[in-house]
Amino acid sequence: MPKISVEIPQELLDDLDEHVGDDGKFVNRSDAVRASIRKTLDLLDDIDARHGRLEDDESA
């Protein structure tokens, strides 16, 4: 799996870390970031579909 690095504000990282670990929803930061990216992309796809902006799979 490819690795990337991003810079984020400390406040955002602190918020993220509240959801990571034994008492959190995610095992580690990478899992949290992947889930967030998937959710965001799904939401964007839904918005695009509502506005007729998605390409057909056949024409892609």
Side-chain angles (χ1 to χ4, degrees):
M1 188 177 316
K3 290 184 183 183
I4 64 167
S5 63
V6 296
E7 294 181 10
I8 61 172
Q10 186 63 48
E11 182 179 323
L12 185 58
L13 183 59
D14 293 342
D15 287 346
L16 176 71
D17 284 342
E18 289 180 17
H19 299 284
V20 174
D22 293 336
D23 296 330
K25 298 174 186 99
F26 302 99
V27 174
N28 54 46
R29 287 177 176 170
S30 292
D31 287 342
V33 171
R34 277 192 295 272
S36 180
I37 291 171
R38 282 188 198 104
K39 176 92 174 167
T40 300
L41 291 175
D42 287 346
L43 289 171
L44 291 172
D45 284 347
D46 289 345
I47 292 167
D48 284 344
R50 280 193 301 246
H51 293 278
R53 295 188 293 233
L54 287 181
E55 294 181 10
D56 293 336
D57 288 342
E58 296 171 6
S59 65

